[in-house]
Amino acid sequence: MNGLSGKAAIVGIGATEFSKNSGRSELRLAVEAITAALEDAGIDRAEVDGLSTYTMDNNPEIEVFRNIGGRQLKFFSRIHYGGGAACAPVMQAAMAVATGVAEVVVCYRAMNERSQYRFGSGYTPPPVPNAESAHYGYYVPFGLISPASWVAMAARRYMHETGATSEDFGRVSVACRAHAATNPAAWFYQQPITLDDHQASRWIVEPLHLLDCCQESDGAVAIVVTSAARAAKLRQPPAIIRAAAQGAADDQQMMTSYYRSDIARLSEMDLVAEQLYAQAQVRPDDIRTAILYDHFSPFVLPQLEAFGFAGRGQARHFIAREGIGPGGRLPVNTNGGQLGEAYIHGMNGIAEAVRQVRGTSVNQVPGPGHVLVTAGTGVPTSGLILAAE
Amino acid sequence: MSELLEQARAWVGRPASPPATARDPVNLPMIRRWCEAMGETNPIYLDEAAARAAGHPGIVAPPAMLDVWAMAPYRPGGRTAEEGMAVLSLFDAAGYTGVVATNVRQDYGRYLRLGEVVTSTPIVADVSDEKRTALGIGHFVTLAYDFTVDGEPVGRMTFRVLKFRPNLAQPHSAEPSAEAKAWPHPRPAITHDNAFFWEGVNQRKLLFQSCEGRLRHPPGPMDPLTGSLDFEIVEASGRGTIHSFVVMHQPRLPGFDYPLPVVLVELEEGVRIVANMIDAAPEAVEIGRAVVADFVEIEPGYLLPAFRFA
């Protein structure tokens, strides 16, 4: 337990449509989503005094701020490491609110990741070498150039260590697409897949099929964070931030932690899980539903293990026997995830977690209990546990 | 159902616009232009004698001109509000500004003769659910037209359009330089910390930092255990086993052969490195197989390590 638990809440969520070609600037997507989130919260735009996003977001806080009519920006921060950032802006927003540094902090992620650029097309080094480009230099000259390829190396070892198969990865995709099929906001609305579809889809990087890989999307999501005290007076039922944590551990690298003794585990997520459970004072049995980062399906399995839903190497049995799809023991990614809804770098998953707390998800998981959200895996990462109180 | 769709569906079965009566009767000059534009050469449309010989009372209009006669006036910038269709304007107002005709079907009652005045009455026949198309998200609107002359039905037409939110093109960045277009093989980034490693590769050696006998990779300025900035450089044997591997299919870079195996090798000295294989079929690559290091000259003066099966 630390001083953060229960101090802040998510009180507003907003998003643009999710598409393959937004037809407008990323900055416009950002302000549209932020405006929607503030309207959802019932908070005036002029009240925003904090902004937080990812280093990979192309929309500077000050450009966003002048467009939304902001007046005094007292807190702004950006988190590094791609989708691993996802929950961390919310964590920093909660810290800012809990310490009185700011009162209304908006977290946002806006991108034309399909129509203007594609993360999967390969790494391009900066003109001046630095520690980060030196890192990619150990992979890119060998053709190992895409996020899918960096993840595939660990996934292959995971299969070797645990006996997991491509079909076990495919069950993750099938579950996510089943959830997306009933979510009108999902790109793959009404388009469920079968395990046969997964197995028949073409190779991207063995052992990853196309249907192991998340989408590429245009769109934006914004999240409004304020104090728990103020949240109680606002129009939406608050999603209290019971726990928020970041993690990097065990000879961490960006996507290629190939030098730690066991490359089949996500040591950074082990660290996040440990912190989240301690802060929120809950156990796996207390988690009703989880949004587990699914840029690539194989990494959902070690996440289930990191959070104690299954023993080490046993996630495939948990998925097959207890279920992560509709009606399963732990419905995962009830919005369809990034495999099914859209790839907004994890921010859309946080919005879904809020809907699960409010009871307004299209795939609402009934009953009490906490909601878990994680960020990008295989990279320095982050996570949240949300609850109604 | 969305509010837009509900409003649009309320039009189904109702006239899309008031009946329109042709401003000019069926006439030879317009038929002539139409036939020229369409490449129509049947003489019954232009020649009185030919028409009579074919059993017509005189020149007749090409049936496919059915909807030409009562068309709304052409105006740069689109139709006026009176000439437009309210059901389509609903979509324009909601941002579905794109329009494309997708299907047309005409049924002909009889030939039209010179001097006849055609009246056209469009009815909204159907508004589809939301569809995702290559052009954008939109709805198909089907219009059913009745054509009459002095109240006598002479033909019908079903006309379907897609009203969509256009996928506006994103601005493109400048053309890549000639150098970038030539696709040189990707090169490592050389820093003060890793220069020894890449210089070693260029001399066909696998070199690693060693501090108190512990090898480390990738290179870095500090020994994580002791905090020492000093290190020795030792040459590895090159012998190791495949710890993991992938087979690349996408994306593809010029200069590589696909499917492309990429291996993570654990060397017998305890460090791991990533490289390609030489003379190895992708299906022969497996975890645990013994390999030995070699070097490939990618370009003159630029070498990369690679592994062969031992």
Side-chain angles (χ1 to χ4, degrees), chain A residues 153 258 263, chain B residues 241-244 262-266 272-274:
Chain A
M153 190 71 84
Y258 299 157
I263 71 166
Chain B
T241 55
I242 296 175
H243 190 70
S244 192
V262 185
V263 292
L264 174 65
V265 170
E266 182 160 305
R272 297 181 194 145
I273 71 166
V274 165

Side-chain angles (χ1 to χ4, degrees), chain A residues 18 21-24 112 115-116 120-121 129-130 133-134 137-146 149 152-153 156-157 160 186-187 202-206 218 253 258-261 263, chain B residues 132 167-171 185-191 194 197-198 217-219 242-251 253 256 260 262-264 272-276 287 302 304-305:
Chain A
F18 304 135
N21 186 346
S22 69
R24 49 210 198 277
N112 284 327
S115 64
Q116 286 192 293
S121 61
N130 57 29
S133 61
Y138 306 119
Y139 316 103
V140 173
F142 305 100
L144 199 72
I145 58 170
S146 63
S149 70
M153 190 71 84
R156 172 73 73 187
R157 186 73 197 182
H160 177 79
W187 180 259
R202 64 193 167 90
W203 291 120
I204 299 301
V205 182
E206 292 177 56
D218 285 11
Q253 300 254 308
Y258 299 157
Y259 313 98
R260 52 176 61 151
S261 59
I263 71 166
Chain B
R132 284 191 166 133
N167 285 333
L168 302 177
Q170 294 289 356
H185 193 103
R187 288 181 178 249
I190 313 286
T191 68
N194 71 11
F197 175 80
W198 292 110
H217 186 74
I242 296 175
H243 190 70
S244 192
F245 70 98
V246 305
V247 181
M248 296 288 301
H249 292 259
Q250 295 289 339
L253 291 183
F256 290 90
L260 172 73
V262 185
V263 292
L264 174 65
R272 297 181 194 145
I273 71 166
V274 165
N276 295 122
I287 290 176
Y302 173 28
L304 286 177

Side-chain angles (χ1 to χ4, degrees), chain A residues 54-99:
Chain A
Y54 308 42
T55 53
M56 283 183 84
D57 197 279
N58 296 319
N59 305 293
E61 303 90 331
I62 49 171
E63 288 296 331
V64 167
F65 202 59
R66 64 193 284 269
N67 272 279
I68 65 168
R71 292 177 190 162
Q72 294 188 315
L73 188 61
K74 301 171 184 168
F75 170 74
F76 37 99
S77 71
R78 296 203 209 183
I79 319 296
H80 201 31
Y81 308 116
C87 298
V90 175
M91 175 190 178
Q92 296 214 343
M95 293 196 297
V97 163
T99 53

Side-chain angles (χ1 to χ4, degrees), chain A residues 99-148:
Chain A
T99 53
V101 165
E103 192 176 327
V104 176
V105 182
V106 179
C107 309
Y108 62 92
R109 182 75 178 102
M111 56 191 202
N112 284 327
E113 195 277 331
R114 182 61 181 79
S115 64
Q116 286 192 293
Y117 48 88
R118 304 173 72 175
F119 295 159
S121 61
Y123 173 79
T124 309
V128 178
N130 57 29
E132 202 154 82
S133 61
H135 159 79
Y136 287 107
Y138 306 119
Y139 316 103
V140 173
F142 305 100
L144 199 72
I145 58 170
S146 63

Side-chain angles (χ1 to χ4, degrees), chain B residues 58-78:
Chain B
I59 286 176
V60 292
M65 286 185 78
L66 180 64
D67 65 321
V68 166
W69 305 108
M71 267 187 183
Y74 171 73
R75 292 180 205 285

Side-chain angles (χ1 to χ4, degrees), chain B:
Chain B
M1 199 185 326
S2 72
E3 197 179 329
L4 169 66
L5 185 55
E6 209 165 303
Q7 287 176 4
R9 288 244 166 105
W11 280 93
V12 172
R14 293 164 56 192
S17 61
T21 299
R23 289 169 295 160
D24 297 301
V26 175
N27 63 83
L28 187 62
M30 203 179 290
I31 293 174
R32 190 187 307 284
R33 284 293 190 202
W34 191 93
C35 286
E36 283 172 5
M38 303 299 284
E40 174 60 70
T41 56
N42 189 333
I44 66 168
Y45 303 136
L46 297 170
D47 184 84
E48 184 77 18
R52 287 180 187 281
H56 296 289
I59 286 176
V60 292
M65 286 185 78
L66 180 64
D67 65 321
V68 166
W69 305 108
M71 267 187 183
Y74 171 73
R75 292 180 205 285
R79 296 176 183 180
T80 62
E82 298 77 54
E83 294 155 358
M85 294 182 176
V87 65
L88 300 183
S89 304
L90 278 176
F91 287 101
D92 288 325
Y96 295 72
T97 53
V99 64
V100 61
T102 60
N103 310 77
V104 60
R105 176 199 162 94
Q106 293 182 334
D107 294 289
Y108 309 116
R110 65 165 174 80
Y111 282 95
L112 293 174
R113 297 184 284 271
L114 294 182
E116 291 186 318
V117 177
V118 177
T119 297
S120 154
T121 308
I123 306 287
V124 181
D126 186 52
V127 179
S128 78
D129 291 334
E130 184 175 279
K131 303 289 182 191
R132 284 191 166 133
T133 76
L135 291 169
I137 291 172
H139 296 265
F140 290 96
V141 179
T142 308
L143 301 162
Y145 288 77
D146 280 315
F147 297 96
T148 56
V149 172
D150 295 332
E152 175 204 356
V154 293
R156 286 195 305 267
M157 178 170 75
T158 305
F159 194 80
R160 181 174 293 132
V161 297
L162 173 68
K163 285 296 289 174
F164 61 98
R165 288 176 178 275
N167 285 333
L168 302 177
Q170 294 289 356
H172 285 281
S173 44
E175 276 289 288
S177 66
E179 193 184 2
K181 276 184 178 169
W183 282 106
H185 193 103
R187 288 181 178 249
I190 313 286
T191 68
H192 284 97
D193 298 324
N194 71 11
F196 77 90
F197 175 80
W198 292 110
E199 283 165 13
V201 167
N202 267 349
Q203 295 162 27
R204 298 180 175 269
K205 292 175 184 170
L206 280 183
L207 302 181
F208 296 96
Q209 290 167 300
S210 171
C211 193
E212 298 176 354
R214 294 180 309 277
L215 273 59
R216 66 180 194 257
H217 186 74
M222 182 175 282
D223 179 61
L225 203 65
T226 63
S228 170
L229 294 169
D230 298 327
F231 54 84
E232 291 173 69
I233 291 175
V234 299
E235 183 177 354
S237 69
R239 287 187 296 273
T241 55
I242 296 175
H243 190 70
S244 192
F245 70 98
V246 305
V247 181
M248 296 288 301
H249 292 259
Q250 295 289 339
R252 298 184 171 209
L253 291 183
F256 290 90
D257 291 326
Y258 293 89
L260 172 73
V262 185
V263 292
L264 174 65
V265 170
E266 182 160 305
L267 296 170
E268 63 183 6
E269 292 85 358
V271 284
R272 297 181 194 145
I273 71 166
V274 165
N276 295 122
M277 293 291 294
I278 300 171
D279 296 336
E283 54 276 14
V285 178
E286 55 187 39
I287 290 176
R289 266 196 92 162
V291 291
V292 62
D294 198 345
F295 295 85
V296 182
E297 187 159 25
I298 303 294
E299 292 159 20
Y302 173 28
L303 278 74
L304 286 177
F307 288 90
R308 298 178 185 279
F309 291 128

